Amino acid sequence: MSQQASAAIRSAAQELPVAFAAIEAAAERIAGRVARTPLIASSSLAALTGQPVHLKLETRQPVGAFKLRGAMNALLALDETARRRGLVTASTGNHGRAVAYAAREAGVPAVVCMSALVPANKVEAVRALGAEVRIVGRSQDDAQAEVERLVRERGLTALPPFDHPDVIAGQGTIGLELVADLPDLATVLVPLSGGGLAAGIALAVKTLRPNVRLIGVSMEKGAAMAAALKAGRPVEVVEEETLADSLGGGIGLANRYSFPLCRALLDEVVLVGEDEIAAGIRHAATAEGETVEGAGAVGIAALRAGKVHPEGPAALILSGGNIDPALHSRLVNGASA
């Protein structure tokens, strides 16, 4: 573990913008409303790395991705007045689906703003859950601008996709489950986008097991958090089309929660290319029997490409499985990225 991460853990209550206690509270709040997903051993990746490798199947959530944890926790933490006003969010697909699902369960309206880069299957999945969908521009920033307009003009309650303490705490419940199910955990590979997932898992795992190595994995094309961490501050990036579409979008120049947590707690960031992501999707299907979208396959991609060498038992977060079936079929059958 880096000296910076060690120091942050020692003084977490004073320095970090989200407390470990918030993750424990989230676990109680969402129990029975989201799936406690399985952690399965991968014999193929263990043979490749020479270390035990386990896959955390967030693909088994009711909405097909981890995002339900944060969305459900954040919604349940709202007071009744905020809920009745209705929810609005920006999304690259999976968070919008999670908000739509949680809103339907709570009986409140929801609006989901997405850019034209979001795959059609993810857009339709949000509509199928009863949310109002708005397609705005070609970036997450464009979608976020529409969220801010709707908050001003219609009084809706914003539920951000990652930079929100209750969202981060909800995602952090994955870390509690990892430590409970794999006590000798040594390395975690987590998809890295806006940082809500990585921040939550890192806070939970490093609080309970400070020596565990936390590695964020993103795509080479438009990785906003990776660019921000390199620069030492949130920066703007050009959003590009990628197989890891769920990892696209900026982190917000005024980021208050996920960036400082990722900066303090992640030990390393690794980037993978499009062909490596395609190989990860293919491996998940053929060797593991799992349908995984590009964002969920980046950990597998990093191991297969030799960009991460685990020391001791490793866990990979398969963050989502909401991939267009036709695209999945082409990639599994050997098409290039």
Side-chain angles (χ1 to χ4, degrees):
M1 182 175 59
S2 69
Q3 290 182 346
Q4 186 180 30
S6 179
I9 286 296
R10 287 196 301 270
S11 57
Q14 291 76 32
E15 295 185 10
L16 297 181
V18 179
F20 175 71
I23 298 176
E24 295 179 305
E28 294 184 10
R29 190 177 289 127
I30 67 177
R33 298 175 184 269
V34 306
R36 191 192 191 289
T37 55
L39 184 69
I40 65 169
S42 168
S43 58
S44 62
L45 294 174
L48 178 69
T49 63
Q51 297 288 351
V53 177
H54 292 75
L55 308 175
K56 182 65 168 167
L57 303 184
E58 287 298 296
T59 52
R60 305 291 174 85
Q61 291 293 350
V63 298
F66 76 94
K67 288 284 191 176
L68 185 57
R69 295 175 184 262
M72 185 66 75
N73 186 52
L75 185 152
L76 294 175
L78 291 172
D79 62 38
E80 195 58 36
T81 300
R83 292 190 206 183
R84 282 199 303 268
R85 289 201 299 263
L87 307 178
V88 63
T89 193
S91 175
T92 53
N94 286 335
H95 176 68
R97 189 170 180 175
V99 169
Y101 179 96
R104 188 185 67 177
E105 294 294 295
V108 299
V111 180
V112 178
C113 304
M114 296 181 280
S115 83
L117 293 182
V118 176
N121 67 301
K122 293 187 175 182
V123 175
E124 292 309 313
V126 173
R127 285 200 178 103
L129 288 166
E132 177 187 343
V133 172
R134 290 177 177 244
I135 305 299
V136 184
R138 290 186 59 81
S139 74
Q140 183 83 336
D141 290 338
D142 293 335
Q144 182 58 38
E146 179 69 0
V147 169
E148 292 165 5
R149 186 186 72 81
L150 292 172
V151 169
R152 289 193 308 270
E153 297 182 6
R154 288 173 49 178
L156 301 181
T157 299
L159 207 166
F162 52 85
D163 194 36
H164 188 285
D166 293 324
V167 171
I168 291 170
Q171 321 305 22
T173 60
I174 296 172
L176 300 182
E177 294 174 16
L178 288 177
V179 172
D181 292 346
L182 192 61
D184 57 348
L185 179 66
T187 304
V188 180
L189 279 71
V190 56
L192 180 63
S193 179
L197 177 64
I201 291 177
L203 177 58
V205 171
K206 283 191 175 288
T207 299
L208 298 171
R209 298 286 188 276
N211 292 320
V212 171
R213 185 176 169 216
L214 261 294
I215 302 172
V217 188
S218 197
M219 68 290 185
E220 292 176 348
K221 298 171 68 174
M225 183 60 80
L229 292 171
K230 184 176 181 179
R233 57 182 173 80
V235 294
E236 292 183 349
V237 297
V238 176
E239 193 167 342
E240 302 180 61
E241 291 192 37
T242 170
L243 288 175
D245 54 88
S246 292
L247 301 185
I251 69 166
L253 295 181
N255 188 294
R256 296 174 57 195
Y257 301 101
S258 63
F259 172 72
L261 283 163
C262 286
R263 180 176 57 185
L265 300 174
L266 291 183
D267 295 291
E268 185 180 355
V269 173
V270 170
L271 302 181
V272 290
E274 297 299 298
D275 286 341
E276 291 165 341
I277 297 169
I281 294 170
R282 191 176 306 117
H283 178 97
T286 58
E288 314 295 347
E290 298 293 332
T291 299
V292 180
E293 62 188 271
V298 294
I300 295 176
L303 287 186
R304 285 179 50 87
K307 294 183 174 180
V308 175
H309 302 282
E311 296 180 3
L316 278 59
I317 314 301
L318 303 194
S319 56
N322 297 322
I323 186 171
D324 177 79
L327 173 61
H328 187 260
S329 178
R330 291 199 301 274
L331 293 173
V332 170
N333 289 321
S336 66

